[in-house]
């Protein structure tokens, strides 16, 4: 019944209702139904340590909650957790089965990885329906795809997904010597730092969203340097005549607020400031002639909302307050001739957390909105206690901890016990409490979020309100919820493993040629040598303008790409060891969405499509013919439709910055390493000095050639067939997009380190003096001979749009093809074949037993002494945890996180592990 209700609400909100006009109360009713009928999901990850070293394992527990209730979700049964490098490249994606709204797993930081700040990103498929937008890209890039929809899917991005960033240091040169050195991936190019006047980022945020003529208003502001570091500054606010209206300065974390009174129509205010010997002048938003301004303040026991302004047509307005997407208060405002209304709401009627006010009219137009935080201190009291922690433990000493749930006897709790000596305080130190109440509800990264909950004095309340004003983001889109704009839900809550994809017409590849030989291209009615390497041939002269560019998929095959005119039968075979499960389905509108076999760990998937009108005998004959020939043409182009996010978010300054502590640790002995040395955080940057030789030992990515082909095919960067002439460009686009550039980036191919960089007018020769027979070269043209692709680039996806990439020496990409060793050959196929993974299965955390005295020379260098994703409590809410220390004197840090059955966050940290205020 629940599923039918959800589907019914989805159908209701995806029909053409946004073109109509309603009364304000009907819009608020829609929001109420949406908030409880289509709740969002939130994720929090609890990890076992505060930092890691290359070679370590990251253990994590995932909690997924419903936004409307706060308790563990019963919507999705599958979630995804990704590990991304400091540059933003995917290391691994894990699919996790959630029985009760939780899951756990582990990532190994293999020796092939480099040091830096890594990211964990987590989401469910249901979460990907919300906060979507189109990732910035150049229009020409869309021609790289099979059709417009595939390009749209590739560039689909999200305002906010759960993210946790943590430092990874170099692998210890000697076991147990945990020196915090961080050697990042070396780059070839040196980007000269900009000299002269520093860039600053000063932004203004009028309360309610707008400056309205004839009203008084408050304006929040935030000022950072070009890297995002908060600045302290004093601002003079000037009117259009150059008269100073007011003076203000930053109050907390580069933020401040000032008031403007009796604003005039079309007035242009500006702010002046002096920073590092330079003067700056920044314009404020223009004053609008009509509209409404919203001011919010707490007055004793009420929340007071003051609405000022007017529009040309006197109209009824509505105000709605929601928290976590659930409507909490609604008020209707009749037309008012005075241009000012005051509304009071009892403060006690609003729940603790981020609340959202929306002021709107009957057409669903939002005039003003505002976030504010309510704290009733109903989360202040601890819900769990841990006893039995000693000040210090001897080598191999047994440790016994007694845990007790307070006021609740049923909670899901994960626990970690660490050696405190190597702990690392970072700004990304959120807990279950701060994530669910604060960070998940506002845009961007909130550094050291626990600080806002340390006290409820005027300083902390003002800082929290400034955070609401400058970093506000509408997780719960009122217009979507009210049906005032078009809504499209692509994903249902995922209950079981499924296959979703589409089927398209296949077409013949261009005539096979040797490298450097021209081929006739029907789409442009001309012959050309197809080159992966991007060159601006138009500047060389004597070349047809149609050929003076990198030829895209649409250039090569556009006129041949036709829409499917009939439905077909899709067959999927799941193979694991000796087990084979076959599943089939007939497409609907060219798409398929079918349950898959329940699979754990690694398996092989074969995917094909056949004409559903043909006989079974015909289908079997066609399926066998050319099955293991990668050059044979499949009957149809079948692809899985990738749903996962493609682009990483840039780090804020504080996500990968060293934590600035304004105190001295008293317990200095506890900070010593196994070698009794102080653990100072040292960042070793790569030495740079112009363009250097390529370091073949440090690729940005190493990918399996067959997996790279599958990824390109699923993105729609080919027609389901491997073409060596365009493969490198497909791979580069799959991993780098267009780098945010308005032209193709330079791409070079290498065959086992030998450079291929040919111009159309050149013969087979290169700057590397490569000499290779046709037979040997053709091995690099077939997937069956290829092993890995080593990809080198200075490009950092997290830094798309950076000033560094606007210079003349923009990043390039080198793809080095490596053959299988010993002249090996792998099986390749006509149809789609994937070596993929099902549910990730996590091994148990190893905890040694030293009940029998260890050998005198035994060494134990564990940093995480104990980890369990689920503490087992008895009927009284009690648990006893037993473990053993490592091989040195140790001060331990204990951390427990979780959630009760009614949605209350559980957080407990030992005193040695407190997050200190900035």
């Amino acid at each position: 019944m629940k599923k039918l209700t959800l589907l019914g609400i989805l159908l209701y909100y995806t029909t053409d209702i946004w073109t109509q006009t309603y009364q304000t109360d009907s819009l608020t009713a829609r929001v109420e139904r949406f908030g409880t009928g289509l709740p969002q999901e939130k994720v929090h990850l609890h990890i076992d340590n505060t930092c890691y070293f290359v070679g370590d394992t990251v253990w994590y527990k995932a909690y997924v909650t419903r936004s409307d209730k706060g308790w563990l979700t019963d919507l999705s049964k599958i979630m995804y957790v990704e590990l991304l490098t400091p540059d933003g490249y995917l290391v691994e994606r894990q699919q996790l089965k959630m029985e009760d709204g939780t899951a756990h797993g582990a990532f190994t930081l293999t020796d092939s990885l480099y040091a830096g700040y890594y990211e964990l990103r987590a989401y469910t498929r249901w979460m990907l329906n919300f906060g979507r937008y189109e990732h910035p890209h150049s229009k020409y890039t869309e021609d790289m795809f099979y059709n417009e929809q595939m390009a749209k899917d590739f560039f689909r991005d999200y305002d906010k997904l759960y993210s946790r960033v943590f430092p990874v240091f170099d692998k210890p040169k000697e076991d147990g010597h945990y020196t915090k050195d961080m050697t990042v991936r070396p780059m070839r190019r040196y980007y000269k730092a900009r000299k002269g006047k520093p860039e600053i980022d000063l932004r203004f945020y009028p309360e309610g969203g707008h400056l309205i003529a004839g009203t008084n208003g408050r304006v929040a502001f935030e000022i950072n340097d070009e890297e995002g570091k908060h600045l302290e500054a004093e601002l003079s606010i000037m009117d259009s005549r150059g008269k100073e209206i007011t003076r203000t300065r930053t109050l907390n974390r580069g933020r401040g607020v000032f008031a403007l009174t009796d604003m005039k129509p079309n007035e242009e205010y500006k702010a002046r400031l002096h920073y590092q010997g330079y003067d700056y002048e920044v314009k404020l938003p223009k004053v609008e002639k009509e509209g409404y301004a919203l001011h919010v303040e707490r007055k004793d026991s009420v929340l007071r909302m003051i609405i000022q302004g007017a529009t040309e047509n006197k109209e009824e307005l509505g105000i709605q307050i929601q928290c976590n997407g659930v409507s909490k208060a609604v008020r209707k405002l009749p037309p008012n001739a005075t241009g000012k209304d005051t509304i009071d709401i009892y403060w006690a009627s609003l729940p603790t957390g981020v609340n959202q006010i929306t002021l709107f009219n009957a057409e669903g137009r939002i005039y003003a909105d505002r976030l504010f935080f309510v704290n009733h201190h109903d989360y202040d009291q601890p819900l769990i206690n841990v006893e039995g922690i000693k000040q210090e433990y001897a080598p191999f000493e047994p440790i016994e901890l007694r845990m007790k749930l307070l006021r609740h006897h049923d909670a899901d709790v994960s626990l970690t016990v660490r050696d405190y000596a190597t702990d690392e305080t970072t700004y990304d130190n959120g807990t279950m409490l701060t994530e669910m109440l604060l960070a998940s509800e506002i845009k961007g990264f909130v550094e050291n979020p626990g600080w806002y909950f340390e006290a409820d004095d005027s300083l902390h309340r003002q800082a929290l309100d400034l955070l609401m004003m400058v970093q506000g983001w509408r997780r719960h889109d009122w217009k979507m919820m009210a049906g005032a704009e078009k809504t499209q839900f692509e994903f249902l809550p995922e209950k079981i493993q499924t296959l979703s994809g589409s089927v398209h017409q296949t077409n013949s590849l261009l005539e096979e040629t040797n490298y450097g030989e021209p081929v006739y291209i029907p789409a442009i009615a001309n012959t050309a040598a197809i080159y992966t390497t991007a060159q601006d041939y138009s500047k060389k002269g004597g070349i047809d303008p149609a050929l003076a560019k990198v030829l895209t998929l649409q250039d090569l095959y556009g006129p041949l790409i036709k829409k499917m005119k009939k439905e077909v039968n899709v067959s999927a075979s799941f193979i694991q060891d000796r087990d084979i499960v076959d599943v089939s389905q007939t497409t609907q509108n060219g798409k398929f969405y079918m349950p898959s076999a329940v699979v754990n760990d690694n398996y092989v998937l074969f995917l094909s499509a056949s004409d559903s009108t043909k006989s079974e005998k015909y289908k079997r004959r066609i399926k066998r013919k050319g099955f293991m020939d990668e050059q044979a043409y499949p009957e149809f182009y079948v692809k899985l439709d990738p749903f996962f996010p493609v682009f990483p978010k840039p780090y804020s300054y504080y996500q990968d910055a060293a934590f600035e502590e304004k105190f001295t640790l008293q317990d200095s002995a506890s900070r010593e390493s196994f070698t009794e040395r102080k653990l100072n955080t040292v960042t070793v940057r790569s030495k740079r000095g112009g363009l250097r030789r390529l370091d073949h030992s440090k690729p940005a990515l190493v990918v399996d050639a067959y997996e790279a082909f599958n990824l390109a095919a699923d993105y729609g960067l080919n027609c389901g067939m491997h073409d060596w002439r365009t493969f490198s460009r497909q791979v580069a686009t799959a991993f780098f997009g267009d780098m945010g550039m308005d032209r193709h980036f330079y791409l070079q191919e290498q065959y086992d380190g030998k450079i291929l960089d040919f111009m159309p007018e050149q013969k087979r020769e290169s700057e590397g003096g490569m000499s290779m027979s046709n037979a040997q070269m053709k091995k690099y043209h077939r997937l069956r001979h290829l092993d890995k692709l080593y990809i080198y680039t200075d490009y950092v996806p997290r830094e798309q749009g950076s000033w560094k990439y606007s210079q003349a020496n923009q990043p390039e990409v080198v793809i080095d093809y490596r053959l299988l060793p010993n002249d090996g050959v792998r099986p390749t196929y006509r149809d789609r074949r994937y070596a993929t993974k099902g549910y990730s299965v996590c091994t148990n955390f190893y905890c040694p037993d030293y009940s029998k005295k260890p050998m005198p020379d035994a060494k134990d260098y564990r940093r995480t002494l104990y980890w369990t994703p689920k503490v087992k409590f008895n009927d009284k809410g009690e648990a006893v945890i037993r473990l053993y220390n490592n091989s040195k004197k140790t001060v331990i840090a204990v951390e427990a996180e979780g959630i009760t059955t009614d949605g209350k966050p559980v957080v407990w940290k030992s005193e040695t592990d407190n997050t200190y205020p900035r």
Side-chain angles (χ1 to χ4, degrees), residues 680-694:
N680 298 318
T681 301
V682 179
T683 301
V684 180
R685 302 294 178 186
S686 303
K687 295 180 180 179
R688 299 176 180 176
L691 184 61
R692 301 181 312 225
R693 293 177 61 87
L694 194 66

Side-chain angles (χ1 to χ4, degrees), residues 532-552:
T532 289
T533 302
Q535 299 284 354
D536 190 0
Y537 298 138
S538 59
K539 294 181 179 180
K540 296 181 178 295
I543 298 178
D544 190 313
L547 308 180
K549 65 172 186 174
V550 174
L551 298 176
T552 67

Side-chain angles (χ1 to χ4, degrees), residues 367-382:
Y367 282 113
D369 63 353
R370 169 82 147 84
L371 298 183
F372 64 99
F373 195 87
V374 173
N375 189 358
H376 295 304
H377 301 284
D378 42 341
Y379 294 92
D380 289 0
Q381 296 300 316

Side-chain angles (χ1 to χ4, degrees), residues 103 232 482-483 598 739 796:
E232 294 183 3
V598 179
M739 296 188 182
V796 176

Side-chain angles (χ1 to χ4, degrees), residues 406-476:
L406 309 175
R407 289 175 290 280
H408 292 77
H409 286 175
D410 195 2
D412 196 314
V413 177
S414 49
L415 174 72
T416 181
V417 182
R418 304 187 299 268
D419 183 343
Y420 183 54
T422 57
D423 264 16
E424 180 79 1
T425 303
T426 67
Y427 289 103
D428 197 341
N429 52 29
T431 65
M432 185 78 176
L433 176 70
T434 61
E435 181 65 28
M436 294 302 161
L437 289 186
L438 177 63
S440 63
E441 291 293 314
I442 61 178
K443 189 175 183 178
F445 173 66
V446 181
E447 70 268 18
N448 197 20
W451 180 85
Y452 293 101
F453 296 90
E454 288 180 354
D456 192 21
D457 54 28
S458 60
L459 171 66
H460 287 77
R461 286 197 299 270
Q462 183 183 54
L464 187 54
D465 195 54
L466 282 173
L467 180 68
M468 296 294 101
M469 293 180 70
V470 307
Q471 212 161 324
W473 164 67
R474 311 314 181 240
R475 168 181 279 277
H476 306 280

Side-chain angles (χ1 to χ4, degrees), residues 532-533 694 696 699 701 703 705 708 726-736 745-756 780 786 788-793 812-818:
T532 289
T533 302
L694 194 66
H696 286 277
L701 289 165
V703 296
T726 57
F727 186 44
S728 293
R729 180 60 59 180
Q730 296 168 21
V731 171
T733 302
F735 287 106
F736 310 118
F745 50 83
Y746 180 82
L747 175 59
Q748 182 187 88
E749 292 175 293
Q750 296 186 4
Y751 289 172
D752 276 298
K754 298 177 180 179
I755 301 171
L756 294 172
Y780 294 92
L786 292 178
K788 306 289 186 185
L789 304 181
Y790 281 65
I791 305 176
Y792 306 86
T793 182
E812 61 188 38
V813 176
V814 177
I815 300 181
D816 190 4
Y817 289 69
R818 305 287 179 91

Side-chain angles (χ1 to χ4, degrees), residues 26-40:
S26 66
L27 294 175
T28 58
R30 293 178 187 276
V31 172
E32 290 181 22
R33 288 194 294 268
F34 192 107
T36 55
L38 297 173
Q40 295 191 36

